Amino acid sequence: MTRPYNFSAGPAAIPEEVLRQAADEMLDWHGSGMGVMEMSHRGKEFISIYEQAEADLRELLAVPAHFKILFMQGGGLGENAIVPLNLSRAGTTDFVVTGSWSQKSVKEARKYCSTVNVVASNEADGHHSIPAPATWQLSRGASYLHLCSNETIHGVEFQELPDLKALGSDAPLVVDFSSHVASRPVDWSRVGLAFGGAQKNLGPAGLTLVVVREDLVGHALPACPSAFDYKLVADNGSMYNTPPTWGIYVAGLTFQWLKRQTEGGRTGIAAMEARNIAKAKLLYDAIDASQLYLNPIDPSCRSRMNVPFLLRDESRNEAFLSGAKARGLLQLKGHKSVGGMRASIYNAMPLAGVEALVDYLHDFEKTQT
């Protein structure tokens, strides 16, 4: 049976190979007599899964040795509190607002930081662009600067991370990369900490990835819960409390799947970036050429992962969604805060899925004219 194409923004599609392997190993992992969900997180079986997953992720993302990789819980929203509890030192923090997720980050940080400065915002244009870094009003002595590299709801993405040193700031850059992690390389020379929920591009909901520079660990506020203190988590190899074992296992399978991918002589993340560029171009070109569909985002910062679009006649929305479902194209309804449609085309979405969506866009438009 051919599976439908799932365009959900998260929890999102997982590669079919990964799902089949997890299903095959559900009752008995590698002859251990146990499924992964039944294992002790401190037993040799799970420790081997964890160590392989961490090593594969470090290789895939080219994470330097002086960064810690932490497998945590709480999701991106949880990290909106955990980051200031660990990095703010109760001082001044800077934020760039580019959509709903960075807005939530600002609101949460105000609970823990003495001063939260919004140094740039695109609210005036409806979150359709990214303010040029040269215009950011950076604070002197900020504990860190936070941005969301890809806004899942509004479809705005940083095509390049800012170089804060070139802007005259010594603040570490904190990046919420939940919805584009593993879709393109990361310039770690510009990053102090990156975090993301796994449920968009890396695996199931419940696992949160934190990659943090060593010198930023060990400065948690006294009020920080022990389980969220980066130093305690790092010192205990992400085993200070029971980690999300199933999420780590499935993410580990996804890392191995990513390592196997090839495209035009490229492998791993480079292969995925090439595919993601091709998928996004195909879909945006179809939308831009249409008289029925509209994407309002500035082309210079359109997301490769989340493509929101509107029907110029919104009375046709329900017919569009019904027809899409009949064609095996699922989860295309836009977020309730912005309406319209949204196609999330993460790593697990094959080019064939985007081609099927583009064919449907053309066919539906023909029936409306």
Side-chain angles (χ1 to χ4, degrees), residues 187-209:
D187 183 353
W188 294 106
S189 70
R190 298 185 175 187
V191 176
L193 182 149
F195 69 83
Q199 69 273 13
K200 301 176 186 297
N201 236 355
L202 297 180
L207 169 64
T208 309
L209 171 68

Side-chain angles (χ1 to χ4, degrees), residues 41-42 50 56 69 115 123 130 143 163-164 210-211 296 355:
H41 63 293
R42 302 188 191 279
Y50 163 80
D56 286 340
I69 294 176
T115 305
E123 290 185 69
I130 289 179
S143 298
D163 182 350
L164 295 187
V210 176
V211 184
E355 290 172 338

Side-chain angles (χ1 to χ4, degrees), residues 223-306:
C224 182
S226 298
F228 297 147
D229 183 330
Y230 291 148
K231 180 169 173 50
L232 285 173
V233 176
D235 288 349
N236 288 273
S238 296
M239 303 287 172
Y240 180 75
N241 65 330
T242 305
T245 54
W246 176 256
I248 292 171
Y249 159 69
V250 178
L253 297 182
T254 305
F255 303 157
Q256 292 168 16
W257 177 82
L258 285 166
K259 289 174 66 175
R260 294 193 297 269
Q261 302 310 297
T262 60
E263 191 73 36
R266 302 176 179 89
T267 60
I269 299 302
M272 298 315 303
E273 181 177 34
R275 286 186 196 172
N276 291 327
I277 289 171
K279 290 186 299 184
K281 183 179 188 307
L282 179 64
L283 184 50
Y284 283 118
D285 284 352
I287 293 169
D288 290 343
S290 166
Q291 298 300 309
L292 179 61
Y293 313 108
L294 169 69
N295 174 276
I297 305 304
D298 186 319
S300 69
C301 59
R302 283 176 166 177
S303 172
R304 296 175 187 169
M305 296 287 95
N306 309 101

Side-chain angles (χ1 to χ4, degrees), residues 7 283 309 320 329 332 343 352-362:
F7 294 91
L283 184 50
F309 59 97
F320 177 89
L329 308 172
L332 284 167
V354 179
E355 290 172 338
L357 174 57
V358 167
D359 286 345
Y360 174 65
L361 292 177
H362 291 154

Side-chain angles (χ1 to χ4, degrees), residues 75-90:
L77 284 178
E79 288 300 321
N80 282 339
I82 297 169
V83 168
L85 282 167
N86 278 274
L87 268 60
S88 73
R89 310 191 193 198

Side-chain angles (χ1 to χ4, degrees), residues 16-133:
E16 187 170 342
E17 289 178 40
V18 170
L19 294 176
R20 293 190 182 280
Q21 184 174 349
D24 289 343
E25 297 176 348
M26 178 69 75
L27 298 180
D28 183 2
W29 182 81
H30 295 199
S32 67
M34 300 176 288
V36 174
M37 285 184 284
E38 305 169 292
M39 292 176 178
S40 166
H41 63 293
R42 302 188 191 279
K44 64 178 183 179
E45 293 87 358
F46 183 73
I47 292 297
S48 71
I49 292 171
Y50 163 80
E51 290 177 344
Q52 187 66 56
E54 182 184 16
D56 286 340
L57 182 61
R58 188 175 292 275
E59 178 185 346
L60 271 170
L61 298 185
V63 178
H66 64 289
F67 280 74
K68 299 288 189 182
I69 294 176
L70 310 178
F71 293 119
M72 299 181 68
Q73 299 170 78
L77 284 178
E79 288 300 321
N80 282 339
I82 297 169
V83 168
L85 282 167
N86 278 274
L87 268 60
S88 73
R89 310 191 193 198
T92 297
T93 53
D94 284 352
F95 284 76
V96 178
V97 170
T98 50
S100 293
W101 291 109
S102 45
Q103 285 178 322
K104 292 176 188 292
S105 303
V106 168
K107 182 178 180 181
E108 192 70 16
R110 287 189 168 129
K111 299 177 182 179
Y112 311 104
C113 307
S114 63
T115 305
V116 172
N117 288 331
V118 175
V119 303
S121 173
N122 64 358
E123 290 185 69
D125 73 2
H127 304 303
H128 292 166
S129 65
I130 289 179

